[in-house]
Amino acid sequence: MARAGKTLRSVAQKVLAARSGANEGDDLLGRLVTAHDPTTGNAMPAGLIVDNVVTFLMAGHETTSQALTWSLCLLALFPEWQERVRQEVLGVAGDGGIGRDEIAKLTLLDAVFQEAMRLYSPAPVLMRRTIVPVALDGIELDKGATIIIPIYVVHRHKLLWQDPLKFDPPRFAPEAKAGRHRCAYMPFGAGPRTCIGATFAMLEGKTILATLLSHARFELPDGELPVPLARITLCPKNGLKVTPL
Ligand code: HEM
C-alpha cells in the first residue's frame, strides 16, 4: 500500500511539474495551482496540491465506478427496469448526445442510480474519531474512540425503509423522497465533510449509464448478483460479469 501510494504521488508530482507558468490551465489542477489563501495571499504548497490531486483521484474514481457497476448489475437483473430507462433515454436524447440538459430530464435514470447506491452504497462505511469525550444518545464515548457509521446497514434498515431489500426505484420519485430523514440515505455522507464531488458524480455517473444503455442491452450471465465485498468501496467479490447484447 505504501509503495502504491508513493507511485501515485510521484505521478501526481510529474503532472504538477508540467503545469507551471503559462501552462496552468483552467481545470481542477489549474485551479489548485492558481489558488491563493484569502488571508495570507500565499499559493498552495506543492505537497498540498499533490495530496489534493491524489485524494480527488481516489475519492472520485473508484466510488463512481462502483456506483455504475452496481447500477448495471441491477439493471441486468431487472430487465423491465433496464428497458424503461433505455426508452426514457432514447425518448429524451434520440440519436443526439447526452449532456447536462438531457440528464436533468431523465428522472427514471436518476431514481435507478440512487436506488442502486442505496442497496450498494459505494462507500459502505464511514469512520470518525472523537477528539473530545462525547455523549451520543446517552452513550458516553472517550476521547479517541472510533465511531463506525455503517451506511450499508442504514440504507437497508427496516425501520427506515419499507421492504428494504427490494430494488424499488420509485422510492426516489420527488414525492416519495419528501419527509425522509436526512441520514436515512447518505451515499455521499453528511455534515461538514460531505462529498465535495457529489453533484459532479451524479452528472458523470448518470451520463455514462445513459450512454451505455442507449448503445447496448446488458445481461447477467449467471443470473445472479455478485457478492458484495466491503473494502474502502463496495466492490463485487469476483468482479462484474455482464454481457452486452
Ligand atoms: C458515486 C460517487 C461518489 C460517492 C458515493 C462518494 C462518496 C463520498 C463520501 C461518503 C464521502 C464522505 C467521507 C466521510 O465523511 O468520511 C466523500 C468525500 C469526498 N469525496 Fe466523494 N463520492 C463520490 C464521488 C466523488 C467524486 C467524483 C469526487 C471528486 C471529483 C469526490 C471527491 C471527494 C472528496 C475530495 C471527499 C472528501 C471531502 C472532505 O473531506 O471534505 N467524490 N465522498
Side-chain angles (χ1 to χ4, degrees), residues 28 52 55-57 59-61 63-65 67 113 117 121-123 126-128 151 186-190 192-198 200-202 204:
L28 179 64
N52 271 292
T55 303
F56 269 92
L57 198 64
H61 182 271
T63 45
T64 314
S65 76
F113 196 59
M117 287 200 291
S121 184
L126 296 183
M127 298 222 257
R128 293 291 185 269
I151 300 185
M186 45 175 178
F188 295 109
R193 305 313 293 252
T194 192
C195 178
I196 201 171
F200 175 75
M202 288 302 289
E204 180 190 32

PDB file of all heavy atoms in Angstrom, residues 28 52 55-57 59-61 63-65 67 113 117 121-123 126-128 151 186-190 192-198 200-202 204, ligand 1:
ATOM      1  N   LEU A  28      -9.355  21.453 -12.808  1.00  0.00           N
ATOM      2  CA  LEU A  28      -9.209  21.401 -11.353  1.00  0.00           C
ATOM      3  C   LEU A  28      -7.754  21.635 -10.926  1.00  0.00           C
ATOM      4  O   LEU A  28      -7.485  22.426 -10.015  1.00  0.00           O
ATOM      5  CB  LEU A  28      -9.702  20.045 -10.830  1.00  0.00           C
ATOM      6  CG  LEU A  28      -9.584  19.844  -9.321  1.00  0.00           C
ATOM      7  CD1 LEU A  28     -10.447  20.814  -8.553  1.00  0.00           C
ATOM      8  CD2 LEU A  28      -9.937  18.411  -8.950  1.00  0.00           C
ATOM      9  N   ASN A  52      -4.040  16.829  -2.638  1.00  0.00           N
ATOM     10  CA  ASN A  52      -5.397  17.060  -3.153  1.00  0.00           C
ATOM     11  C   ASN A  52      -5.659  16.275  -4.425  1.00  0.00           C
ATOM     12  O   ASN A  52      -6.729  15.697  -4.601  1.00  0.00           O
ATOM     13  CB  ASN A  52      -5.611  18.557  -3.412  1.00  0.00           C
ATOM     14  CG  ASN A  52      -6.128  19.266  -2.178  1.00  0.00           C
ATOM     15  OD1 ASN A  52      -7.255  19.038  -1.762  1.00  0.00           O
ATOM     16  ND2 ASN A  52      -5.294  20.092  -1.576  1.00  0.00           N
ATOM     17  N   THR A  55      -6.145  12.660  -3.553  1.00  0.00           N
ATOM     18  CA  THR A  55      -7.439  12.473  -2.875  1.00  0.00           C
ATOM     19  C   THR A  55      -8.583  12.501  -3.885  1.00  0.00           C
ATOM     20  O   THR A  55      -9.472  11.643  -3.870  1.00  0.00           O
ATOM     21  CB  THR A  55      -7.672  13.583  -1.824  1.00  0.00           C
ATOM     22  OG1 THR A  55      -6.590  13.557  -0.921  1.00  0.00           O
ATOM     23  CG2 THR A  55      -8.968  13.387  -1.080  1.00  0.00           C
ATOM     24  N   PHE A  56      -8.541  13.478  -4.786  1.00  0.00           N
ATOM     25  CA  PHE A  56      -9.616  13.582  -5.781  1.00  0.00           C
ATOM     26  C   PHE A  56      -9.656  12.353  -6.677  1.00  0.00           C
ATOM     27  O   PHE A  56     -10.723  11.843  -7.006  1.00  0.00           O
ATOM     28  CB  PHE A  56      -9.443  14.849  -6.626  1.00  0.00           C
ATOM     29  CG  PHE A  56     -10.180  16.017  -6.043  1.00  0.00           C
ATOM     30  CD1 PHE A  56      -9.567  16.890  -5.172  1.00  0.00           C
ATOM     31  CD2 PHE A  56     -11.517  16.221  -6.344  1.00  0.00           C
ATOM     32  CE1 PHE A  56     -10.261  17.945  -4.606  1.00  0.00           C
ATOM     33  CE2 PHE A  56     -12.221  17.286  -5.784  1.00  0.00           C
ATOM     34  CZ  PHE A  56     -11.581  18.153  -4.911  1.00  0.00           C
ATOM     35  N   LEU A  57      -8.461  11.883  -7.039  1.00  0.00           N
ATOM     36  CA  LEU A  57      -8.385  10.713  -7.912  1.00  0.00           C
ATOM     37  C   LEU A  57      -8.991   9.499  -7.206  1.00  0.00           C
ATOM     38  O   LEU A  57      -9.835   8.787  -7.760  1.00  0.00           O
ATOM     39  CB  LEU A  57      -6.909  10.459  -8.242  1.00  0.00           C
ATOM     40  CG  LEU A  57      -6.623   9.590  -9.430  1.00  0.00           C
ATOM     41  CD1 LEU A  57      -7.140  10.256 -10.697  1.00  0.00           C
ATOM     42  CD2 LEU A  57      -5.109   9.370  -9.554  1.00  0.00           C
ATOM     43  N   ALA A  59     -10.873   9.388  -4.350  1.00  0.00           N
ATOM     44  CA  ALA A  59     -12.257   9.562  -3.891  1.00  0.00           C
ATOM     45  C   ALA A  59     -13.223   9.615  -5.061  1.00  0.00           C
ATOM     46  O   ALA A  59     -14.386   9.250  -4.938  1.00  0.00           O
ATOM     47  CB  ALA A  59     -12.373  10.843  -3.054  1.00  0.00           C
ATOM     48  N   GLY A  60     -12.719  10.076  -6.219  1.00  0.00           N
ATOM     49  CA  GLY A  60     -13.627  10.319  -7.329  1.00  0.00           C
ATOM     50  C   GLY A  60     -13.795   9.147  -8.276  1.00  0.00           C
ATOM     51  O   GLY A  60     -14.869   8.958  -8.838  1.00  0.00           O
ATOM     52  N   HIS A  61     -12.755   8.359  -8.453  1.00  0.00           N
ATOM     53  CA  HIS A  61     -12.819   7.339  -9.492  1.00  0.00           C
ATOM     54  C   HIS A  61     -13.483   6.052  -9.026  1.00  0.00           C
ATOM     55  O   HIS A  61     -14.468   5.581  -9.597  1.00  0.00           O
ATOM     56  CB  HIS A  61     -11.410   7.037 -10.024  1.00  0.00           C
ATOM     57  CG  HIS A  61     -11.433   6.024 -11.118  1.00  0.00           C
ATOM     58  ND1 HIS A  61     -11.345   4.671 -10.861  1.00  0.00           N
ATOM     59  CD2 HIS A  61     -11.589   6.156 -12.448  1.00  0.00           C
ATOM     60  CE1 HIS A  61     -11.427   4.021 -12.005  1.00  0.00           C
ATOM     61  NE2 HIS A  61     -11.580   4.893 -12.981  1.00  0.00           N
ATOM     62  N   THR A  63     -15.279   5.260  -6.419  1.00  0.00           N
ATOM     63  CA  THR A  63     -16.667   5.378  -5.961  1.00  0.00           C
ATOM     64  C   THR A  63     -17.652   5.420  -7.130  1.00  0.00           C
ATOM     65  O   THR A  63     -18.625   4.679  -7.162  1.00  0.00           O
ATOM     66  CB  THR A  63     -16.823   6.680  -5.155  1.00  0.00           C
ATOM     67  OG1 THR A  63     -16.154   7.717  -5.878  1.00  0.00           O
ATOM     68  CG2 THR A  63     -16.258   6.562  -3.766  1.00  0.00           C
ATOM     69  N   THR A  64     -17.347   6.285  -8.096  1.00  0.00           N
ATOM     70  CA  THR A  64     -18.268   6.432  -9.231  1.00  0.00           C
ATOM     71  C   THR A  64     -18.310   5.130 -10.030  1.00  0.00           C
ATOM     72  O   THR A  64     -19.373   4.700 -10.491  1.00  0.00           O
ATOM     73  CB  THR A  64     -17.830   7.603 -10.131  1.00  0.00           C
ATOM     74  OG1 THR A  64     -17.520   8.720  -9.300  1.00  0.00           O
ATOM     75  CG2 THR A  64     -18.911   7.993 -11.104  1.00  0.00           C
ATOM     76  N   SER A  65     -17.153   4.494 -10.184  1.00  0.00           N
ATOM     77  CA  SER A  65     -17.149   3.258 -10.976  1.00  0.00           C
ATOM     78  C   SER A  65     -17.929   2.155 -10.253  1.00  0.00           C
ATOM     79  O   SER A  65     -18.610   1.360 -10.885  1.00  0.00           O
ATOM     80  CB  SER A  65     -15.727   2.836 -11.343  1.00  0.00           C
ATOM     81  OG  SER A  65     -15.081   2.280 -10.243  1.00  0.00           O
ATOM     82  N   ALA A  67     -20.513   2.689  -8.258  1.00  0.00           N
ATOM     83  CA  ALA A  67     -21.940   3.041  -8.404  1.00  0.00           C
ATOM     84  C   ALA A  67     -22.447   2.565  -9.765  1.00  0.00           C
ATOM     85  O   ALA A  67     -23.557   2.035  -9.897  1.00  0.00           O
ATOM     86  CB  ALA A  67     -22.129   4.552  -8.253  1.00  0.00           C
ATOM     87  N   PHE A 113     -30.307   5.122 -10.446  1.00  0.00           N
ATOM     88  CA  PHE A 113     -28.935   5.328  -9.970  1.00  0.00           C
ATOM     89  C   PHE A 113     -28.932   5.506  -8.444  1.00  0.00           C
ATOM     90  O   PHE A 113     -28.095   4.960  -7.732  1.00  0.00           O
ATOM     91  CB  PHE A 113     -28.358   6.561 -10.681  1.00  0.00           C
ATOM     92  CG  PHE A 113     -26.861   6.685 -10.590  1.00  0.00           C
ATOM     93  CD1 PHE A 113     -26.029   5.682 -11.085  1.00  0.00           C
ATOM     94  CD2 PHE A 113     -26.276   7.802 -10.032  1.00  0.00           C
ATOM     95  CE1 PHE A 113     -24.637   5.799 -11.014  1.00  0.00           C
ATOM     96  CE2 PHE A 113     -24.884   7.930  -9.955  1.00  0.00           C
ATOM     97  CZ  PHE A 113     -24.074   6.924 -10.445  1.00  0.00           C
ATOM     98  N   MET A 117     -27.404   3.012  -5.451  1.00  0.00           N
ATOM     99  CA  MET A 117     -26.479   3.457  -4.391  1.00  0.00           C
ATOM    100  C   MET A 117     -27.064   3.234  -2.996  1.00  0.00           C
ATOM    101  O   MET A 117     -26.346   3.208  -2.019  1.00  0.00           O
ATOM    102  CB  MET A 117     -26.112   4.928  -4.579  1.00  0.00           C
ATOM    103  CG  MET A 117     -25.168   5.159  -5.744  1.00  0.00           C
ATOM    104  SD  MET A 117     -24.300   6.731  -5.648  1.00  0.00           S
ATOM    105  CE  MET A 117     -25.638   7.879  -5.911  1.00  0.00           C
ATOM    106  N   SER A 121     -24.178   0.908  -1.491  1.00  0.00           N
ATOM    107  CA  SER A 121     -23.543   2.209  -1.302  1.00  0.00           C
ATOM    108  C   SER A 121     -22.046   2.092  -1.602  1.00  0.00           C
ATOM    109  O   SER A 121     -21.348   1.297  -0.963  1.00  0.00           O
ATOM    110  CB  SER A 121     -23.758   2.661   0.149  1.00  0.00           C
ATOM    111  OG  SER A 121     -23.236   3.936   0.330  1.00  0.00           O
ATOM    112  N   PRO A 122     -21.536   2.857  -2.584  1.00  0.00           N
ATOM    113  CA  PRO A 122     -20.113   2.714  -2.935  1.00  0.00           C
ATOM    114  C   PRO A 122     -19.194   2.899  -1.731  1.00  0.00           C
ATOM    115  O   PRO A 122     -18.173   2.241  -1.623  1.00  0.00           O
ATOM    116  CB  PRO A 122     -19.901   3.821  -3.968  1.00  0.00           C
ATOM    117  CG  PRO A 122     -21.253   4.047  -4.561  1.00  0.00           C
ATOM    118  CD  PRO A 122     -22.228   3.820  -3.455  1.00  0.00           C
ATOM    119  N   ALA A 123     -19.562   3.811  -0.821  1.00  0.00           N
ATOM    120  CA  ALA A 123     -18.819   3.936   0.443  1.00  0.00           C
ATOM    121  C   ALA A 123     -19.697   3.261   1.503  1.00  0.00           C
ATOM    122  O   ALA A 123     -20.632   3.867   2.000  1.00  0.00           O
ATOM    123  CB  ALA A 123     -18.585   5.407   0.778  1.00  0.00           C
ATOM    124  N   LEU A 126     -18.500   4.744   7.008  1.00  0.00           N
ATOM    125  CA  LEU A 126     -17.696   5.932   7.299  1.00  0.00           C
ATOM    126  C   LEU A 126     -17.166   5.810   8.718  1.00  0.00           C
ATOM    127  O   LEU A 126     -17.779   5.153   9.555  1.00  0.00           O
ATOM    128  CB  LEU A 126     -18.531   7.211   7.191  1.00  0.00           C
ATOM    129  CG  LEU A 126     -19.099   7.544   5.816  1.00  0.00           C
ATOM    130  CD1 LEU A 126     -19.836   8.875   5.879  1.00  0.00           C
ATOM    131  CD2 LEU A 126     -17.999   7.577   4.775  1.00  0.00           C
ATOM    132  N   MET A 127     -16.061   6.459   8.988  1.00  0.00           N
ATOM    133  CA  MET A 127     -15.499   6.393  10.339  1.00  0.00           C
ATOM    134  C   MET A 127     -15.160   7.785  10.842  1.00  0.00           C
ATOM    135  O   MET A 127     -14.802   8.661  10.060  1.00  0.00           O
ATOM    136  CB  MET A 127     -14.247   5.554  10.325  1.00  0.00           C
ATOM    137  CG  MET A 127     -14.523   4.142   9.898  1.00  0.00           C
ATOM    138  SD  MET A 127     -13.621   2.997  10.891  1.00  0.00           S
ATOM    139  CE  MET A 127     -12.323   2.572   9.810  1.00  0.00           C
ATOM    140  N   ARG A 128     -15.284   7.951  12.127  1.00  0.00           N
ATOM    141  CA  ARG A 128     -14.873   9.191  12.780  1.00  0.00           C
ATOM    142  C   ARG A 128     -14.135   8.841  14.067  1.00  0.00           C
ATOM    143  O   ARG A 128     -14.418   7.793  14.665  1.00  0.00           O
ATOM    144  CB  ARG A 128     -16.093  10.064  13.145  1.00  0.00           C
ATOM    145  CG  ARG A 128     -16.845  10.619  11.954  1.00  0.00           C
ATOM    146  CD  ARG A 128     -16.005  11.665  11.227  1.00  0.00           C
ATOM    147  NE  ARG A 128     -16.755  12.302  10.151  1.00  0.00           N
ATOM    148  CZ  ARG A 128     -16.775  11.861   8.896  1.00  0.00           C
ATOM    149  NH1 ARG A 128     -16.126  10.767   8.566  1.00  0.00           N
ATOM    150  NH2 ARG A 128     -17.441  12.524   7.984  1.00  0.00           N
ATOM    151  N   ILE A 151     -23.165   2.819   6.650  1.00  0.00           N
ATOM    152  CA  ILE A 151     -24.148   3.313   5.673  1.00  0.00           C
ATOM    153  C   ILE A 151     -24.903   2.146   5.021  1.00  0.00           C
ATOM    154  O   ILE A 151     -26.113   2.211   4.810  1.00  0.00           O
ATOM    155  CB  ILE A 151     -23.437   4.142   4.581  1.00  0.00           C
ATOM    156  CG1 ILE A 151     -22.727   5.329   5.222  1.00  0.00           C
ATOM    157  CG2 ILE A 151     -24.419   4.625   3.533  1.00  0.00           C
ATOM    158  CD1 ILE A 151     -22.098   6.268   4.226  1.00  0.00           C
ATOM    159  N   MET A 186     -27.526   8.290   2.712  1.00  0.00           N
ATOM    160  CA  MET A 186     -26.338   9.156   2.664  1.00  0.00           C
ATOM    161  C   MET A 186     -25.165   8.510   1.921  1.00  0.00           C
ATOM    162  O   MET A 186     -24.094   8.326   2.490  1.00  0.00           O
ATOM    163  CB  MET A 186     -25.914   9.616   4.053  1.00  0.00           C
ATOM    164  CG  MET A 186     -25.904   8.560   5.108  1.00  0.00           C
ATOM    165  SD  MET A 186     -25.248   9.280   6.637  1.00  0.00           S
ATOM    166  CE  MET A 186     -25.391   7.886   7.712  1.00  0.00           C
ATOM    167  N   PRO A 187     -25.374   8.213   0.638  1.00  0.00           N
ATOM    168  CA  PRO A 187     -24.250   7.653  -0.123  1.00  0.00           C
ATOM    169  C   PRO A 187     -23.083   8.626  -0.200  1.00  0.00           C
ATOM    170  O   PRO A 187     -21.942   8.202  -0.375  1.00  0.00           O
ATOM    171  CB  PRO A 187     -24.850   7.401  -1.513  1.00  0.00           C
ATOM    172  CG  PRO A 187     -26.017   8.316  -1.601  1.00  0.00           C
ATOM    173  CD  PRO A 187     -26.555   8.430  -0.208  1.00  0.00           C
ATOM    174  N   PHE A 188     -23.373   9.918  -0.083  1.00  0.00           N
ATOM    175  CA  PHE A 188     -22.300  10.916  -0.142  1.00  0.00           C
ATOM    176  C   PHE A 188     -21.939  11.439   1.245  1.00  0.00           C
ATOM    177  O   PHE A 188     -21.290  12.478   1.371  1.00  0.00           O
ATOM    178  CB  PHE A 188     -22.714  12.081  -1.052  1.00  0.00           C
ATOM    179  CG  PHE A 188     -22.895  11.668  -2.493  1.00  0.00           C
ATOM    180  CD1 PHE A 188     -24.165  11.609  -3.057  1.00  0.00           C
ATOM    181  CD2 PHE A 188     -21.802  11.319  -3.273  1.00  0.00           C
ATOM    182  CE1 PHE A 188     -24.333  11.219  -4.383  1.00  0.00           C
ATOM    183  CE2 PHE A 188     -21.960  10.932  -4.601  1.00  0.00           C
ATOM    184  CZ  PHE A 188     -23.224  10.877  -5.161  1.00  0.00           C
ATOM    185  N   GLY A 189     -22.342  10.736   2.288  1.00  0.00           N
ATOM    186  CA  GLY A 189     -22.044  11.176   3.646  1.00  0.00           C
ATOM    187  C   GLY A 189     -22.995  12.278   4.083  1.00  0.00           C
ATOM    188  O   GLY A 189     -24.024  12.538   3.446  1.00  0.00           O
ATOM    189  N   ALA A 190     -22.647  12.938   5.176  1.00  0.00           N
ATOM    190  CA  ALA A 190     -23.495  14.009   5.707  1.00  0.00           C
ATOM    191  C   ALA A 190     -22.631  14.929   6.547  1.00  0.00           C
ATOM    192  O   ALA A 190     -21.555  14.543   6.985  1.00  0.00           O
ATOM    193  CB  ALA A 190     -24.621  13.416   6.556  1.00  0.00           C
ATOM    194  N   PRO A 192     -20.385  18.450   7.637  1.00  0.00           N
ATOM    195  CA  PRO A 192     -19.389  19.323   7.015  1.00  0.00           C
ATOM    196  C   PRO A 192     -18.462  18.609   6.033  1.00  0.00           C
ATOM    197  O   PRO A 192     -17.943  19.221   5.125  1.00  0.00           O
ATOM    198  CB  PRO A 192     -18.570  19.858   8.192  1.00  0.00           C
ATOM    199  CG  PRO A 192     -19.296  19.483   9.420  1.00  0.00           C
ATOM    200  CD  PRO A 192     -20.293  18.425   9.098  1.00  0.00           C
ATOM    201  N   ARG A 193     -18.213  17.297   6.210  1.00  0.00           N
ATOM    202  CA  ARG A 193     -17.301  16.601   5.305  1.00  0.00           C
ATOM    203  C   ARG A 193     -18.039  15.800   4.239  1.00  0.00           C
ATOM    204  O   ARG A 193     -17.510  14.839   3.693  1.00  0.00           O
ATOM    205  CB  ARG A 193     -16.356  15.676   6.081  1.00  0.00           C
ATOM    206  CG  ARG A 193     -15.569  16.334   7.178  1.00  0.00           C
ATOM    207  CD  ARG A 193     -14.927  17.624   6.735  1.00  0.00           C
ATOM    208  NE  ARG A 193     -13.873  17.468   5.751  1.00  0.00           N
ATOM    209  CZ  ARG A 193     -12.589  17.633   5.998  1.00  0.00           C
ATOM    210  NH1 ARG A 193     -12.191  17.910   7.217  1.00  0.00           N
ATOM    211  NH2 ARG A 193     -11.709  17.539   5.039  1.00  0.00           N
ATOM    212  N   THR A 194     -19.247  16.221   3.947  1.00  0.00           N
ATOM    213  CA  THR A 194     -20.000  15.521   2.911  1.00  0.00           C
ATOM    214  C   THR A 194     -19.240  15.593   1.579  1.00  0.00           C
ATOM    215  O   THR A 194     -18.404  16.471   1.384  1.00  0.00           O
ATOM    216  CB  THR A 194     -21.409  16.154   2.796  1.00  0.00           C
ATOM    217  OG1 THR A 194     -22.212  15.317   2.006  1.00  0.00           O
ATOM    218  CG2 THR A 194     -21.387  17.524   2.179  1.00  0.00           C
ATOM    219  N   CYS A 195     -19.500  14.664   0.677  1.00  0.00           N
ATOM    220  CA  CYS A 195     -18.708  14.546  -0.559  1.00  0.00           C
ATOM    221  C   CYS A 195     -18.700  15.856  -1.353  1.00  0.00           C
ATOM    222  O   CYS A 195     -19.743  16.362  -1.744  1.00  0.00           O
ATOM    223  CB  CYS A 195     -19.265  13.428  -1.428  1.00  0.00           C
ATOM    224  SG  CYS A 195     -18.377  13.270  -2.980  1.00  0.00           S
ATOM    225  N   ILE A 196     -17.510  16.331  -1.622  1.00  0.00           N
ATOM    226  CA  ILE A 196     -17.375  17.588  -2.371  1.00  0.00           C
ATOM    227  C   ILE A 196     -17.670  17.371  -3.856  1.00  0.00           C
ATOM    228  O   ILE A 196     -17.963  18.305  -4.590  1.00  0.00           O
ATOM    229  CB  ILE A 196     -15.949  18.154  -2.145  1.00  0.00           C
ATOM    230  CG1 ILE A 196     -15.875  19.629  -2.428  1.00  0.00           C
ATOM    231  CG2 ILE A 196     -14.914  17.393  -2.949  1.00  0.00           C
ATOM    232  CD1 ILE A 196     -14.546  20.236  -1.994  1.00  0.00           C
ATOM    233  N   GLY A 197     -17.608  16.092  -4.279  1.00  0.00           N
ATOM    234  CA  GLY A 197     -17.810  15.799  -5.703  1.00  0.00           C
ATOM    235  C   GLY A 197     -19.196  15.257  -6.019  1.00  0.00           C
ATOM    236  O   GLY A 197     -19.429  14.759  -7.127  1.00  0.00           O
ATOM    237  N   ALA A 198     -20.136  15.347  -5.054  1.00  0.00           N
ATOM    238  CA  ALA A 198     -21.433  14.673  -5.216  1.00  0.00           C
ATOM    239  C   ALA A 198     -22.184  15.106  -6.491  1.00  0.00           C
ATOM    240  O   ALA A 198     -22.669  14.262  -7.250  1.00  0.00           O
ATOM    241  CB  ALA A 198     -22.299  14.903  -3.979  1.00  0.00           C
ATOM    242  N   PHE A 200     -21.028  16.530  -9.191  1.00  0.00           N
ATOM    243  CA  PHE A 200     -20.288  16.074 -10.359  1.00  0.00           C
ATOM    244  C   PHE A 200     -20.480  14.570 -10.565  1.00  0.00           C
ATOM    245  O   PHE A 200     -20.706  14.096 -11.681  1.00  0.00           O
ATOM    246  CB  PHE A 200     -18.800  16.411 -10.197  1.00  0.00           C
ATOM    247  CG  PHE A 200     -17.946  15.864 -11.292  1.00  0.00           C
ATOM    248  CD1 PHE A 200     -17.943  16.456 -12.545  1.00  0.00           C
ATOM    249  CD2 PHE A 200     -17.159  14.738 -11.081  1.00  0.00           C
ATOM    250  CE1 PHE A 200     -17.165  15.930 -13.570  1.00  0.00           C
ATOM    251  CE2 PHE A 200     -16.389  14.211 -12.105  1.00  0.00           C
ATOM    252  CZ  PHE A 200     -16.393  14.810 -13.348  1.00  0.00           C
ATOM    253  N   ALA A 201     -20.411  13.811  -9.453  1.00  0.00           N
ATOM    254  CA  ALA A 201     -20.524  12.346  -9.550  1.00  0.00           C
ATOM    255  C   ALA A 201     -21.889  11.947 -10.113  1.00  0.00           C
ATOM    256  O   ALA A 201     -21.989  11.021 -10.935  1.00  0.00           O
ATOM    257  CB  ALA A 201     -20.314  11.712  -8.178  1.00  0.00           C
ATOM    258  N   MET A 202     -22.947  12.629  -9.678  1.00  0.00           N
ATOM    259  CA  MET A 202     -24.282  12.299 -10.191  1.00  0.00           C
ATOM    260  C   MET A 202     -24.351  12.582 -11.693  1.00  0.00           C
ATOM    261  O   MET A 202     -24.879  11.774 -12.463  1.00  0.00           O
ATOM    262  CB  MET A 202     -25.358  13.120  -9.458  1.00  0.00           C
ATOM    263  CG  MET A 202     -25.618  12.704  -8.017  1.00  0.00           C
ATOM    264  SD  MET A 202     -26.121  10.977  -7.847  1.00  0.00           S
ATOM    265  CE  MET A 202     -27.771  11.008  -8.530  1.00  0.00           C
ATOM    266  N   GLU A 204     -21.806  12.810 -13.849  1.00  0.00           N
ATOM    267  CA  GLU A 204     -20.895  11.915 -14.565  1.00  0.00           C
ATOM    268  C   GLU A 204     -21.476  10.492 -14.634  1.00  0.00           C
ATOM    269  O   GLU A 204     -21.559   9.881 -15.699  1.00  0.00           O
ATOM    270  CB  GLU A 204     -19.553  11.896 -13.826  1.00  0.00           C
ATOM    271  CG  GLU A 204     -18.508  11.002 -14.449  1.00  0.00           C
ATOM    272  CD  GLU A 204     -17.279  10.839 -13.552  1.00  0.00           C
ATOM    273  OE1 GLU A 204     -17.421  10.860 -12.314  1.00  0.00           O
ATOM    274  OE2 GLU A 204     -16.178  10.682 -14.093  1.00  0.00           O
TER     275      GLU A 204
HETATM  276  C1  HEM B   1     -20.833   7.964  -6.694  1.00  0.00           C
HETATM  277  C2  HEM B   1     -19.709   8.588  -6.447  1.00  0.00           C
HETATM  278  C3  HEM B   1     -19.229   9.035  -5.091  1.00  0.00           C
HETATM  279  C4  HEM B   1     -19.581   8.608  -3.854  1.00  0.00           C
HETATM  280  C5  HEM B   1     -20.594   7.533  -3.493  1.00  0.00           C
HETATM  281  C6  HEM B   1     -18.819   9.391  -2.895  1.00  0.00           C
HETATM  282  C7  HEM B   1     -18.926   9.269  -1.517  1.00  0.00           C
HETATM  283  C8  HEM B   1     -18.251  10.075  -0.616  1.00  0.00           C
HETATM  284  C9  HEM B   1     -18.445  10.043   0.806  1.00  0.00           C
HETATM  285  C10 HEM B   1     -19.404   9.120   1.539  1.00  0.00           C
HETATM  286  C11 HEM B   1     -17.636  10.982   1.351  1.00  0.00           C
HETATM  287  C12 HEM B   1     -17.549  11.370   2.835  1.00  0.00           C
HETATM  288  C13 HEM B   1     -16.431  10.637   3.518  1.00  0.00           C
HETATM  289  C14 HEM B   1     -16.518  10.864   5.013  1.00  0.00           C
HETATM  290  O1  HEM B   1     -17.395  11.576   5.511  1.00  0.00           O
HETATM  291  O2  HEM B   1     -15.672  10.300   5.729  1.00  0.00           O
HETATM  292  C15 HEM B   1     -16.890  11.593   0.272  1.00  0.00           C
HETATM  293  C16 HEM B   1     -15.932  12.575   0.438  1.00  0.00           C
HETATM  294  C17 HEM B   1     -15.193  13.098  -0.591  1.00  0.00           C
HETATM  295  N1  HEM B   1     -15.402  12.899  -1.938  1.00  0.00           N
HETATM  296 FE1  HEM B   1     -16.772  11.665  -2.767  1.00  0.00          FE
HETATM  297  N2  HEM B   1     -18.013  10.256  -3.571  1.00  0.00           N
HETATM  298  C18 HEM B   1     -18.235  10.088  -4.912  1.00  0.00           C
HETATM  299  C19 HEM B   1     -17.645  10.787  -5.957  1.00  0.00           C
HETATM  300  C20 HEM B   1     -16.677  11.750  -5.805  1.00  0.00           C
HETATM  301  C21 HEM B   1     -16.061  12.491  -6.898  1.00  0.00           C
HETATM  302  C22 HEM B   1     -16.432  12.329  -8.364  1.00  0.00           C
HETATM  303  C23 HEM B   1     -15.114  13.288  -6.330  1.00  0.00           C
HETATM  304  C24 HEM B   1     -14.189  14.279  -6.973  1.00  0.00           C
HETATM  305  C25 HEM B   1     -14.187  14.628  -8.228  1.00  0.00           C
HETATM  306  C26 HEM B   1     -15.148  13.081  -4.904  1.00  0.00           C
HETATM  307  C27 HEM B   1     -14.334  13.713  -4.007  1.00  0.00           C
HETATM  308  C28 HEM B   1     -14.459  13.620  -2.635  1.00  0.00           C
HETATM  309  C29 HEM B   1     -13.585  14.316  -1.699  1.00  0.00           C
HETATM  310  C30 HEM B   1     -12.405  15.215  -2.064  1.00  0.00           C
HETATM  311  C31 HEM B   1     -14.058  13.998  -0.424  1.00  0.00           C
HETATM  312  C32 HEM B   1     -13.512  14.494   0.917  1.00  0.00           C
HETATM  313  C33 HEM B   1     -14.252  15.756   1.284  1.00  0.00           C
HETATM  314  C34 HEM B   1     -13.817  16.287   2.631  1.00  0.00           C
HETATM  315  O3  HEM B   1     -13.295  15.543   3.471  1.00  0.00           O
HETATM  316  O4  HEM B   1     -14.042  17.467   2.875  1.00  0.00           O
HETATM  317  N3  HEM B   1     -16.118  12.139  -4.620  1.00  0.00           N
HETATM  318  N4  HEM B   1     -17.301  11.040  -0.922  1.00  0.00           N
END
